[in-house]
Amino acid sequence: MKLLSQLRTSTFQLALLYMVVFATSVFLLLAFIYWRTAGFMTAQTDETIEAEIAGLAEQYRGRGINGLITIIRERVARDPNAKSLYLVTTEDYMKLAGNLTAWPEGTQSQSGWINFTLDERVGWVGPPRLARARIFEVQGGLRLLVGRDVDDLTALKRVIETAINWGMGITLALALLGGFMISRSTTRRIEVINNTSRKIMNGHLSQRIPTRGTSDDFDQLAENLNRMLDRIVYLMEGIRHVSDSIAHDLRTPLTRLRNQLENTLMAVDNEEAREQAGRAVAEADQLLATFNALLRIARLETRGNTADMKPVSLGLLVSDACELYEALAEDKQQHFEQSLDEQAMIEGDRDLLFQMVSNLIDNAIKYTPERGNIRVAVYGDGDDTVFEVSDSGIGIPDEEKENVFQRFYRVGKSRSLPGNGLGLSLVSAVAEIHQGRIVLRDRHPGQDYPGLSVAVVMPAYRPTSKRIKVAAGREEPALSEDPGAGSAASRP
């Protein structure tokens, strides 16, 4: 799988394209060399034949046909290996002189050139060989053939062709190997950047991309990304510090204002004034709840993974939270169903988990109409433990599911209901501390009340055969010292 993924990388594809261009260039170069070399050797053979023809023509002009036959016989006698080929015949192909006994078969070109095979049909003794010759008609109806044995030349061409084929194969293999090695080196550098980016996206903002000190393109990219991350963290910390400072500085005067309004409420006798003072106290309580939620989220984001992690029975913890909220569900005549696996264990901070569970159950009750259905479940799913709250309420549109975890964000349908838009932000912060992810989906898509299912998936903590007291305060299966199985996943 790793090899296949590397073959799909853009660097390998670029190296493959370079290999094709390089191989094509080499092929064209070798083809040109072959064409020039083979053409030169063929032209040299033809020039040799032409020179012999010129000599024979001169003898013919000076001594006639008898002199031509005589000189051919002399040349054949001087060439026992028959490198030069001669044949003089009558009009009906009867041999008069030469080292061939019969006229060869082959296709003759318009200029008189012919390529044929030297074998027993032309009186050749020995293994078949290739030959090239030129044919003339001599005065008096005689036929003249002058040629050369070109078998060695043809064998040399085959050697050159074989060398070119092997050269192309070796070139392609080396280019492919070089492309693979270059791609592997580049992919390693890119994978380092990807791994660091994943850690940063999972909340480890202190991570930075390592450099090699070579000042190459990747080092320059890493340095620029690191400077960008430093700037982003600086701006985020500035914004967080400002919001936290505002929340902290305003909480004290708001508390004093709220207490003064409450004292006023108890002191006045006028019914209308008491009603106005009561509304003011309620508004002050809402403001204080908002500021407290902001400070709580800020503390969670600051403490990160330093929370007090202990083995917790998530099923028992959710059961305790359900006992507190069942009365609210009964007031709205809602059907409150529980399916809790008390053996489902995680490692976490019980107080933070209780806040997360309470927020989700409270939201389900708040946004589900009277006589609606609410289901709370805890179950194991492979290496994970899942806490899920489902309702038959107004739900969340698909286009807004990515935004509901932002601070102060409220879905349009829920703006008329009390709240400050910080509940799911706190849930997200707690889930991130526990290496969990949140999954939102509609229960009944397409209906007026599609409902909502909120599932928090966290790594499970594996029990052993021993018994211990867990954070919920009840006896449960003990947990091993291993901090748990499963991989951390980021919130969508």
Side-chain angles (χ1 to χ4, degrees):
M1 289 298 293
K2 188 174 181 180
L3 177 60
L4 291 178
S5 63
Q6 184 169 344
L7 296 180
R8 288 194 292 264
T9 60
S10 58
T11 52
F12 182 79
Q13 293 173 2
L14 184 61
L16 195 63
L17 177 62
Y18 171 77
M19 180 193 73
V20 172
V21 173
F22 179 70
T24 303
S25 302
V26 172
F27 174 78
L28 293 176
L29 176 62
L30 293 177
F32 175 76
I33 293 174
Y34 173 76
W35 173 70
R36 292 294 295 174
T37 303
F40 173 76
M41 291 187 296
T42 301
Q44 193 175 38
T45 301
D46 290 350
E47 288 176 1
T48 303
I49 295 174
E50 293 284 2
E52 291 198 28
I53 291 173
L56 291 174
E58 184 178 352
Q59 292 292 330
Y60 175 72
R61 286 192 298 269
R63 299 170 58 184
I65 188 62
N66 292 328
L68 177 63
I69 294 174
T70 300
I71 193 65
I72 289 176
R73 289 173 177 172
E74 290 176 356
R75 290 188 178 184
V76 169
R78 290 197 304 264
D79 185 15
N81 295 325
K83 291 298 182 182
S84 296
L85 304 174
Y86 306 97
L87 180 62
V88 180
T89 67
T90 61
E91 189 175 1
D92 55 358
Y93 298 104
M94 185 178 68
K95 177 181 176 182
L96 299 177
N99 50 8
L100 300 179
T101 60
W103 200 264
E105 296 180 359
T107 302
Q108 182 178 343
S109 67
Q110 292 182 353
S111 58
W113 290 99
I114 183 174
N115 295 310
F116 61 96
T117 303
L118 294 172
D119 52 22
E120 66 275 1
R121 290 176 298 179
V122 295
W124 181 260
V125 178
R129 299 175 68 85
L130 297 176
R132 178 174 173 81
R134 191 172 183 182
I135 300 173
F136 296 92
E137 289 189 3
V138 185
Q139 186 177 6
L142 300 180
R143 299 176 183 275
L144 171 63
L145 179 147
V146 180
R148 294 283 295 180
D149 180 355
V150 295
D151 196 75
D152 292 340
L153 174 62
T154 305
L156 181 59
K157 288 182 179 180
R158 292 196 191 101
V159 170
I160 296 175
E161 291 173 358
T162 303
I164 290 176
N165 293 333
W166 275 101
M168 284 299 302
I170 294 174
T171 299
L172 290 174
L174 291 177
L176 184 63
L177 178 61
F180 181 79
M181 295 180 65
I182 294 173
S183 172
R184 185 178 181 183
S185 176
T186 305
T187 302
R188 284 179 177 176
R189 298 290 299 273
I190 295 176
E191 190 60 30
V192 170
I193 298 176
N194 285 335
N195 289 335
T196 306
S197 300
R198 294 188 194 101
K199 293 178 182 178
I200 294 172
M201 287 188 292
N202 287 335
H204 302 280
L205 298 180
S206 61
Q207 293 288 327
R208 291 297 179 267
I209 301 171
T211 59
R212 292 185 176 181
T214 57
S215 299
D216 58 4
D217 294 343
F218 282 102
D219 270 8
Q220 293 178 21
L221 175 63
E223 290 171 358
N224 290 333
L225 290 176
N226 289 337
R227 283 196 292 268
M228 181 185 69
L229 289 170
D230 291 338
R231 183 63 177 170
I232 291 174
V233 171
Y234 173 77
L235 295 175
M236 289 176 59
E237 291 296 332
I239 294 173
R240 183 180 300 170
H241 178 72
V242 170
S243 61
D244 296 346
S245 298
I246 292 174
H248 186 273
D249 294 342
L250 291 182
R251 185 173 62 169
T252 300
L254 275 175
T255 303
R256 289 199 298 265
L257 176 61
R258 192 263 181 203
N259 293 336
Q260 292 174 4
L261 288 172
E262 189 174 27
N263 292 333
T264 301
L265 176 64
M266 292 185 294
V268 298
D269 295 330
N270 185 281
E271 186 66 27
E272 183 178 354
R274 288 178 61 86
E275 183 178 350
Q276 293 177 353
R279 287 197 296 269
V281 170
E283 291 291 340
D285 287 338
Q286 179 65 28
L287 287 173
L288 284 172
T290 299
F291 285 128
N292 286 333
L294 278 173
L295 291 174
R296 191 178 303 117
I297 293 172
R299 285 195 296 269
L300 290 177
E301 292 176 343
T302 301
R303 71 195 292 186
N305 292 329
T306 62
D308 186 16
M309 298 294 186
K310 295 180 180 179
V312 177
S313 171
L314 190 59
L316 293 177
L317 183 144
V318 174
S319 176
D320 293 342
C322 289
E323 290 180 6
L324 296 177
Y325 285 92
E326 278 182 325
L328 290 177
E330 290 176 359
D331 291 342
K332 297 181 69 173
Q333 300 180 9
Q334 295 169 337
H335 178 64
F336 197 85
E337 179 185 353
Q338 301 178 42
S339 176
L340 309 177
D341 180 7
E342 296 185 355
Q343 304 299 320
M345 308 289 292
I346 66 171
E347 185 181 35
D349 187 309
R350 188 179 190 280
D351 294 335
L352 297 181
L353 291 170
F354 194 86
Q355 287 182 7
M356 178 187 73
V357 170
S358 300
N359 276 18
L360 291 177
I361 296 177
D362 181 68
N363 279 351
I365 296 174
K366 183 189 301 183
Y367 297 115
T368 300
E370 293 185 358
R371 298 182 178 84
N373 298 316
I374 298 174
R375 182 176 183 275
V376 180
V378 174
Y379 56 89
D381 183 16
D383 292 335
D384 297 320
T385 296
V386 182
F387 165 60
E388 185 175 9
V389 180
S390 305
D391 61 56
S392 58
I394 58 178
I396 299 176
D398 291 338
E399 63 272 13
E400 298 189 64
K401 283 186 172 67
E402 294 291 332
N403 302 323
V404 294
F405 298 104
Q406 300 176 9
R407 297 184 188 184
F408 299 109
Y409 186 89
R410 304 195 70 192
V411 179
K413 295 180 181 180
S414 65
R415 292 188 180 278
S416 59
L417 298 174
N420 51 28
L422 294 173
L424 288 180
S425 298
L426 188 142
V427 170
S428 174
V430 174
E432 186 171 346
I433 288 176
H434 292 83
Q435 300 181 356
R437 53 189 172 91
I438 303 176
V439 180
L440 303 179
R441 62 176 181 271
D442 295 337
R443 263 187 99 182
H444 308 290
Q447 299 185 10
D448 293 337
Y449 283 87
L452 181 68
S453 172
V454 183
V456 183
V457 184
M458 294 171 286
Y461 198 81
R462 294 301 175 192
T464 61
S465 59
K466 296 181 180 179
R467 313 285 291 184
I468 64 168
K469 296 288 185 176
V470 296
R474 310 180 192 183
E475 189 177 88
E476 285 300 320
L479 307 178
S480 65
E481 294 301 323
D482 182 12
S487 60
S490 60
R491 170 171 58 84

